[in-house]
Amino acid sequence: MNQLRSSRATILSHPLVASILVTIILACSITPAFAATPTITAFAANNTQIPKYQKLELTFQISKTFAADSLLPYYYYDPTDTPAADPGRTSPYGVDGTSIDAHFVAPSRHELIVPAFYYQDYVRSGSSYETMTPTNSYAWKIRFAPEEIGVYNYYLTIQDKEGTGRYPLTGTLTFTSIASASKGFIKVSSIDPRFLVFSNGQSFIPIASGRQWWACCGTRSLNYETTFASFGQNGINLTRIWDQNDAYGLTVEGHFDAYTYPDDYNPIDRGITIDTLPKGTQMNQRGNYEEDKIIEAGEKNGVYIQLCSHGDPYWLWDASVYTETWNHNPVLFNDPHHLNYWKRNFRYRVARWGYSTAILAWETWNEHGHILAGTDVYNFYQVYGQYQQTVDPYHHLRTTSQGSQSFSPGFWSSSAVDLANYHDYLMSSRYSADLANDEANFVSRFAWCLGTKGTLCTGLGVGDGSTWQGSTKPWVWGEFDVGTTVWNQVNPNAQSGESRLRFLHNSTWAGLFTPLGTSPLDWYWDQEDAATTTARYADRKIVSNFFAPIDYAGGKFTYLMTASDAPTGYIGETIATTNAKTRVYGMRRSDKNAAYLWVQHRDHTWFNAPATPMPITSNVTLNGLDNGMTYNLNVWNTHTGAIIASTTKTPSSGAIILTISNLVDDVAVKIESANGSGGTRGLAFLPLLHK
């Protein structure tokens, strides 16, 4: 959702318009002349031994300086971008830029090239209120994370229109990568491309929680540190952050914060009519420093971030494709200036944060509509996606997102993205009661639609007519919550307490037991009361504990459901029950070594809260197991984390039958091979008491 929390008018009405405009014109018209090839000086490394997947940081100066607030430190050298080739611009040209790269040769002899970035240092202080004090200390930095153990050799190159320099002049520098406990970067599984794994092959099982901005005001990046500590303690490992949008707190480029830092601003975006702004990149060094701290907190606490640029920087220059009152000259996605802007911005992002294993994915845009092949936006992503692959040596996942009911299988299956994204909300104005009032059914229906190439989408209103090409990709459900009949209003009946806890609980379990394989990120997290937040964190910990040992990406699971939950057009296997109020979602390993079930009372929904459903008893039959195996079966109370029943059984005719007694909410069941191979085999009539 695009919810702006303050007016751009505050920025555009500042009394220093005239003087700032003069400053901009002067700064942008200064093109320093350098008669010599640039050189690197004052070079230092943070260490000579770096644990695998952790940060080597190189700090140095170069033999050229820039005017205050110059854009040139953020322009890489591009000899084709000249005044002659593009006359009439007010911004700097790439021909005046500077490209600095580090060339790392791994022990395997594989070479990786990492760009440098321009950096300003700050002193951060405070506890309940963050204070950021600039030191006026500027430097260039390179950050690099080794992915192999052993000796790395490296050297730096620097290039501008005067020539190319090298550091050191001859030979190479070295550092040694040593063993660490880090699991590495997150990648698409080579075994099952629906899911994600770490570099070490361990499954990444997304236990998500919304945190698109800091909670409020003065705590800023400190708020993320305390929140991520809580996330880590409770097994929450996935979130999404907007880092380039006005009024949502963190902004890494061109932001003037009129409320907290009224004297810390970049002149290019303060008090100037949008149309006169230079078309280029200037990173907000304060915001970048805050993002450093947020990402470091993610690394420390095992939280992985989908970092969203949130479309164009709405406040900075006429780059937005949207026509709005403030934006008189919206650009098109085929505008070369628009593409070059994104390239400069992305190169800086990779240089500053690409080293971090906490970056799950680069999300370019928040909430596109349909993206059809042949359109300008589709073509933009093909070109930009290739650039991302070229510049990011770690190949973090590339993604963007689509808004409610926008689904473009042809786009998602293209080479421009690695990770698919969807947003949607439970809304009675958009969906029938069986969806709007039943969070588990809502998640499951969309999971079967989106996660199976868009073939089971009847009744959901999604799809642009394109078809999926090749295998499916991993999914993140980037925004999800209970709305009203209006897109940007939280439903007060699902804001806190029992109704919200049911909504969050059921959607999380349903998401991980269905083909989408992800738990949706809640949107209205900042409108909960403290007790609800504490309770949902504890609930996430139980989910995390249940799934942590499961080889989620390696199991090549078949997903199953009760017949009444099957989407229109589904012709596959189902799970049988003897009580219509019993809903079951299941997942069974392809080697039959294990199966997992989530058994829910259909009336235990957010809409029916706070009423407790009448208890039910039901037999649940799961087929497709191995008669020759013995299975351990454990039943979990999903609200306490306690194992409430355990047994060892063998199946009959490939089936197990569970008797679930006195069910008023839900339980989860692990059925795993007793021979230690993580397997699943049957159970014959196990009486279970729930609560």
Side-chain angles (χ1 to χ4, degrees), residues 124 126-130 211 213-216 218-234 236 293-294 296-298 300-301 303 525 533 537:
R124 189 181 62 153
S127 55
S128 60
Y129 187 93
E130 176 190 89
R211 204 72 183 187
W213 48 84
W214 44 57
C216 183
T219 53
R220 299 174 72 90
S221 63
L222 298 171
N223 176 260
Y224 271 107
E225 290 183 335
T226 56
T227 297
F228 283 1
S230 295
F231 279 11
Q233 293 163 7
N234 291 284
I236 299 169
K293 297 304 179 183
I294 293 168
E296 289 167 8
K300 179 180 179 181
N301 294 288
V303 178
W525 57 269
T533 298
Y537 283 4

Side-chain angles (χ1 to χ4, degrees), residues 14 16-25 265 267-268 270-272:
H14 197 277
L16 297 182
V17 170
S19 61
I20 294 173
L21 180 57
V22 170
T23 302
I24 293 172
I25 293 171
Y265 64 89
I268 62 170
R270 185 179 181 186
I272 307 299

